[in-house]
Amino acid sequence: MSLLELKHISKIYGDLKALDDVSLSVDNGEWVAIMGPSGSGKSTMMNIIGCMDKPTLGEVLLDGVDIAKESNKNLTLIRRDKIGLIFQQFHLVNYLTAVENVMMAQYYHSIPDEKEALEALERVGLKDRARHLPSQLSGGEQQRVCIARALINHPEIILADEPTGNLDEANENIVLDIFRQLHEEGTTLVVVTHDPEVGEVAQRTVTLEYGKIKSDKKNVNFGKEAVSGEV
């Protein structure tokens, strides 16, 4: 069953079509990588799926609701309740500790619960760093705080924008292992990346070019080795 459906989506800025009649479906529990060169429309698609922007044309169905037609106020609520966002630049509050940064996401959703926040940090291997400020954490540790923050409200879908873009190989592998675990638990993952190695570990890879879908492939040996075949 599809959790997310994009139906003939276009995003137009003057004479520029950032997305041009794009249709895409993502099933519950699927792990999809969105790839493509700079200017291909990856970030535009992510912003639309993440309720941070609206398409010029088309429908975006998230759990059966056309978010393209929702008010900005409702989009904020949908993003809060259904979507977990992971950013390349982390976007942590520099004067809050790791656990406080996770609890801040709870504050906007329901009631902050330090025990739950600590459990989320433990899940990403950072419980012992819970009282550290972002400046006291490595880049990989900051990204794992972002993942804990994205998970704390039990979202229906995780959207990750270049989640390994600022990480070395060791920390990239840690983050990908967390994504594998989330996928095994049934979490729906949409990951925007320019890194072929990150794209190859996903269940399916969608490549954009000039605002259109150039290819849509699944890894036929997903979980073993990255061998791709057409969907």
Side-chain angles (χ1 to χ4, degrees):
M1 179 179 177
S2 295
L3 174 63
L4 173 69
E5 289 186 82
L6 276 62
K7 297 184 177 182
H8 303 289
I9 290 297
S10 292
K11 184 65 178 179
I12 303 170
Y13 301 96
D15 295 329
L16 173 65
K17 288 187 176 181
L19 290 175
D20 186 4
D21 195 28
V22 170
S23 294
L24 177 69
S25 178
V26 178
D27 289 342
N28 268 305
E30 195 170 18
W31 179 359
V32 179
I34 307 295
M35 301 192 67
S38 296
S40 61
K42 302 190 305 298
S43 294
T44 301
M45 179 182 287
M46 176 66 78
N47 288 339
I48 290 173
I49 296 172
C51 297
M52 294 175 284
D53 200 358
K54 294 182 180 182
T56 307
L57 299 169
E59 299 179 342
V60 184
L61 301 178
L62 179 60
D63 201 17
V65 175
D66 185 0
I67 59 178
K69 296 179 179 178
E70 294 293 325
S71 67
N72 289 334
K73 180 179 179 180
N74 285 344
L75 288 178
T76 298
L77 297 177
I78 292 169
R79 185 168 62 246
R80 182 195 70 183
D81 294 338
K82 295 181 178 293
I83 300 170
L85 294 168
I86 300 170
F87 302 98
Q88 179 181 6
Q89 301 299 331
F90 313 141
H91 296 303
L92 298 175
V93 179
N94 58 17
Y95 56 82
L96 297 181
T97 64
V99 70
E100 289 169 341
N101 267 283
V102 175
M103 290 171 65
M104 187 172 66
Q106 290 179 303
Y107 174 80
Y108 290 108
H109 181 268
S110 52
I111 299 174
D113 186 320
E114 184 174 271
K115 181 180 178 182
E116 286 187 3
L118 288 171
E119 289 172 352
L121 286 172
E122 184 173 22
R123 187 176 187 184
V124 298
L126 282 181
K127 188 174 183 179
D128 62 337
R129 308 287 279 172
R131 309 298 174 184
H132 287 64
L133 295 171
S135 61
Q136 298 170 313
L137 301 173
S138 70
E141 289 171 335
Q142 290 183 61
Q143 187 61 289
R144 282 187 276 161
V145 174
C146 292
I147 295 173
R149 182 180 60 189
L151 295 175
I152 193 63
N153 294 324
H154 310 288
E156 296 184 24
I157 185 170
I158 295 287
L159 302 181
D161 188 5
E162 300 285 3
T164 62
N166 289 329
L167 306 182
D168 59 26
E169 183 177 358
N171 281 297
E172 176 180 299
N173 289 333
I174 291 171
V175 169
L176 292 179
D177 283 343
I178 293 171
F179 285 175
R180 289 186 183 98
Q181 180 183 356
L182 290 171
H183 176 263
E184 289 172 1
E185 295 170 356
T187 302
T188 305
L189 296 163
V190 177
V191 180
V192 168
T193 181
H194 68 277
D195 187 339
E197 293 184 6
V198 176
E200 286 171 357
V201 301
Q203 187 176 9
R204 175 179 162 204
T205 302
V206 176
T207 303
L208 295 177
E209 190 171 285
Y210 301 114
K212 292 180 175 288
I213 293 179
K214 179 183 179 183
S215 65
D216 187 344
K217 300 179 179 180
K218 62 182 179 181
N219 293 329
V220 295
N221 287 327
F222 173 68
K224 298 177 182 179
E225 58 181 324
V227 179
S228 295
E230 293 289 343
V231 171

